[in-house]
Structures are given as structure tokens and as C-alpha cells.
Amino acid sequence: MKTATTLNGAANPRNLGLLLAFAAAGILLTVSAFSLGASFERIGTTGAALLVLLLPMVLIVGVAGVRQGIHHLVVLRRQWTWWHGWLTLLFISTLVFRIRGAHETSAQPVDAWALLRLGPEAVVAVLLLVRQLRHPIPWLRTLFRGLLRVMAIYGLVCLASATWSIYASWTLYKALELLLDFSVLAAILASTDSAEQLQQAFNYIWLLFGLDLLWVWIGSMLWPSDAFDELGRLSGVWPVVAANSVGASAAVLCVVAFARALRADAVRQDRPWYVLVACFGVASLIASQTRNAMAGFVLSILVMLWYLRRTWIGIAGGASMALGVIAMGWSGRILEFLSREQTQTQMEGLSSRVEWWSYAVKLWLRQPFTGLGAYAGGKFAVFEQLRLGETSHLHSDWVETLVGTSIWGIVPLAIAVIGCWWVLLRSRSHSALSLAEKGLALEALGVLASITLRSFFNIELVWHTPFLFMAVLGCAEFLRRRMQQSAPVPIASRT
């Protein structure tokens, strides 16, 4: 019996895992080869030769990495709890299957596709209320405490702006949507007692981003003519995922992979998995050609190295890469790649963003005390008058907030972001925090650096569902409480 089991590879779970690892690595290599094949003209013969030479090493690391990834999925299945389902529903509600202009939205606010967004949100809202009644958790008290309280105030400001909004029902819906997002975060925090539990929430959010990005690549093979535009930028076809969003997701995967590899409590056996994730993220980042995501990734690496007191690694690595680029004569190609065939005027205008923002500020100056209504100012005022109705937002959290809610929204949003920076940077020298908690802070700090930079050029903080900001805010609030609990009690209060 023992011999039969040994001879039969399919009966051995270890061999089955290896077989699945080889199959998954082969699929990933096929996707990479498919996408990089069109880029050989840009990187030249030398670059193509280097890629071919690196393939065996990538295959070895890929197999080991995929095996670790399968192990993590098994662990996830064992740790599955109520909030995994809630986050999944919120993620489904963010999927975009059609793009409508302002006129279409005004004429028919709810259509069949809109139900795919409203349905999951309604289910989460009902589950939140039912759980409060059957298994009470103090999520409402958590929502109005610490850093979450600041974002709750922001949501209430957005809600209040419906009274003067140019499209009141839209503002009301989007404000309630955001409050639901942070209520779910409050429920998760209210039932979280350790950094390990919070890490599980992080892991699931990163998994959702990774699966979304993987489907974008699969879509590029199914619909190549639609997935790549005339510049070769990668985007999602069905559901629709803009190239900027592809770049944002890719940058996050890169940041998380580097953070996990650099953490003091990192498990050495997991490093092939994070190397694989980093390679996947870098390839996706390059394919998206999203410049602000690339800049955010670089800033994240520098901030994380500073946090770990290893800044010299970033300096040495940057210098080595610069010398390599110059030696191989790639500087001209890289500049051409980053320019995306835009003229100097187009680049200085930040791909039309400066024009949008200038017009948005003019409209805001007409109503500087109130703004035009949260989430409505950009879509139904600025873009409507610029005849760009299919554009959803102003590609800047700060401009969108200013136009929608004026200073009343800007202040709490800025306090929340600065508060996250303050708490996460303080954790660097706080002796009471464990290695796991400091590792979590490192990861959150890297993501925060990336989304802070991108928030000036895109929507990262206040658009449903702000998973990345929710993760960072949740981590910062958790660590703030931990540092408060471990703070020494003043002598006066002891007596």
C-alpha cells in the first residue's frame, strides 16, 4: 500500500502541489513572454538577450514562489471569517462594466449594471446592522474614535454637502457609500486584538488587487487589440480597468513584496513568493506606463529603507541602476518610454490635468464657502462644461475635495493623512511595539507613501472603495492605540 502511494504521484499531496506550481509558473511565463514579445523592439537586442538568459532563474524562483502562494491560499481558507466576505462584496461593487457620461447618469441614475454596484453594498449594510443586533461589536464607537473619527467627519461633511450640491442625489449616494466603507473598517478594527489578525485583513486586500491584476493580463491575451492602446499601455477590458488603475495596483504589489522581504520578522521560505509577486508587479507597472505610480513606488522604497535605517541600500542600488542604464545606452529609450509620445506642452500640462484643475478652481471660487457638492463638482460641473462627461473625477483627491466640499472637506482629509504619517513614523522608535507590529507599520508606511504622492494626480483616498487608504488608516489607528496602551502612566495619576 505504501509503495503504491509512493509510485502514484497524484496520490502524493506534495507532488500534486509541485505539479500545480509548475503549471502556474508556466502560465505566468506565457503571459510574460506574450507581453514582453511586443517590447523587444524598444529594449533592443541586448535587453532581449538578458531576458532570455534570466528565464531559467525566473522559472526556478517562480516554481518555489507559486508553491508558497498555494500554501498561503490554504492558510487563507482556514482563517476565513465574516469580514472576508464583506470585503469581497465591496470589491465586487467597485467593478466597472460600462462607462457613462454625466447626461446618461442624470437621465437614468440606476440601470442594470448599477445594480451590480448597489446590490453588494446593500448586502454589506444589512449584514453590518444584523451583526450589530445579533453579535454586538462596538463598530459605531470605533468609527468615531481616533483617526477613523476624522474620516467619519469627512464623510458627514460630504453628506451635508448634498443640501447645496448641484446633483444632490449623487452626492448623497456617494457620501453614504464612503461612510459604509469606513464603517466596515471600524467593524474589522473593533474585532481585532492583534497585529496578526490585522495582517490577515492586509493579506486579503493585497490578494484582491493581485487577482484583479492577473485577470487584466488574462484579458490582454483574450482581447489584445482592446487591452493595449496605441501607446501599448495595458488596461482591463472586462471589467474596465484604466491603465492608471493597473499601474496603481502594480505599484502596491511591488511595495508589499519589498516590505515583506525587508521585514525583520520575515520568513525566509516565503521570499521566493514575494520575489515572484515583485516581478509580476514590476512587469505590470512597466506595461501600464503609469508615471505617477512609478514615482510612488520609488518614493515608497526610499521611505521604507529610511524606516529600517538602510538608506545606503537605496543610494547604492539607484547608482548601480543608473550606471547600468548609461552603460547599455538605454537612457534615451527610457526617456522616450516615460514621455509616452507626448509633447513638452502635454507633459507640462500633466496630461490635461492642469486644464481641468484650473477650470475646477474657477468654478470653486464662485462658491468658495460651500463648494459644488461632494463628488458632483467634477463630474457634473467641470467635465460637463468641458464636454468631457465620461470622465468620472478630477484625478486628484485634493482638487476633487476642494471643488466638492471646500475647506470643510480638505481639513479633515489632510488631518487623517498627516495623522497616519505621524503615527507610522513614530512607530519606528517605539520600544513597546513588537516585531510583527513594526513590520505591519513598515508595510503600511510604504503603501502610504505611494498613495500620498498619487493622491495629487489621481483619486486614491476618497473614492469607493479606498481599500489602500482603509488599510493604512486601520493600521495607523491600531498602532496608535497600542502605543497609548503602553505609554507610562503619569505619577500624579498613580497617586
Side-chain angles (χ1 to χ4, degrees), residues 249-276:
S249 299
V252 167
L253 291 184
C254 293
V255 169
V256 172
F258 274 88
R260 297 287 175 90
L262 293 171
R263 285 175 59 158
D265 60 336
V267 180
R268 182 169 297 180
Q269 289 83 354
D270 288 344
R271 285 179 178 170
W273 166 243
Y274 296 124
V275 170
L276 183 63

Side-chain angles (χ1 to χ4, degrees), residues 179-201:
L179 285 171
L180 175 64
D181 296 335
F182 286 102
S183 296
V184 170
L185 174 61
I188 295 174
L189 276 179
S191 57
T192 298
D193 299 322
S194 66
E196 289 74 19
Q197 289 178 329
L198 194 59
Q199 186 72 75
Q200 293 175 20

Side-chain angles (χ1 to χ4, degrees), residues 276-340:
L276 183 63
V277 172
C279 291
F280 179 60
V282 169
S284 304
L285 187 59
I286 294 173
S288 73
Q289 300 182 38
T290 306
R291 291 174 296 218
N292 60 70
M294 295 178 185
F297 170 57
V298 173
L299 176 62
S300 298
I301 296 300
L302 294 177
V303 169
M304 288 191 294
L305 289 174
W306 172 86
Y307 184 91
L308 294 171
R309 296 178 174 85
R310 300 179 187 174
T311 311
W312 62 271
I313 296 179
I315 297 174
S320 301
M321 290 179 64
L323 290 175
V325 167
I326 294 172
M328 298 183 69
W330 283 4
S331 54
R333 288 195 179 100
I334 290 176
L335 291 175
E336 181 183 354
F337 172 81
L338 292 175
S339 69
R340 298 200 314 236

Side-chain angles (χ1 to χ4, degrees), residues 1-17:
M1 191 68 165
K2 183 177 180 180
T3 305
T5 305
T6 305
L7 293 176
N8 186 2
N12 192 326
R14 191 172 182 179
N15 290 341
L16 180 59

Side-chain angles (χ1 to χ4, degrees), residues 13-172:
R14 191 172 182 179
N15 290 341
L16 180 59
L18 185 61
L19 178 62
L20 290 174
F22 269 108
I27 292 172
L28 290 176
L29 285 174
T30 301
V31 171
S32 302
F34 179 84
S35 61
L36 293 173
S39 304
F40 279 173
E41 290 185 7
R42 295 187 181 182
I43 63 179
T45 307
T46 306
L50 284 174
L51 287 174
V52 172
L53 290 175
L54 287 173
L55 279 179
M57 183 178 68
V58 172
L59 180 61
I60 294 172
V61 174
V63 171
V66 170
R67 292 187 70 183
Q68 284 299 319
I70 294 173
H71 170 71
H72 289 310
L73 288 176
V74 173
V75 173
L76 171 65
R77 183 172 61 84
R78 294 172 183 167
Q79 296 174 342
W80 187 273
T81 187
W82 55 270
W83 52 259
H84 285 95
W86 293 16
L87 292 177
T88 303
L89 289 170
L90 289 180
F91 180 77
I92 292 173
S93 70
T94 65
L95 301 179
V96 178
F97 293 93
R98 53 89 179 92
I99 298 176
R100 297 192 297 170
H103 280 301
E104 295 172 317
T105 304
S106 301
Q108 188 181 8
V110 179
D111 60 4
W113 286 115
L115 294 176
L116 189 58
R117 185 184 187 98
L118 293 170
E121 292 173 348
V123 171
V124 172
V126 170
L127 289 175
L128 189 63
L129 293 175
V130 169
R131 186 167 186 85
Q132 180 63 27
L133 294 174
R134 297 185 60 185
H135 305 282
I137 50 176
W139 66 267
L140 195 59
R141 185 176 64 187
T142 304
L143 181 62
F144 288 94
R145 179 183 173 192
L147 292 173
L148 263 71
R149 172 174 53 193
V150 183
M151 285 309 297
I153 292 172
Y154 175 85
L156 293 176
V157 168
C158 292
L159 195 64
S161 71
T163 58
W164 64 76
S165 173
I166 60 173
Y167 194 162
S169 58
W170 181 261
T171 297
L172 182 65

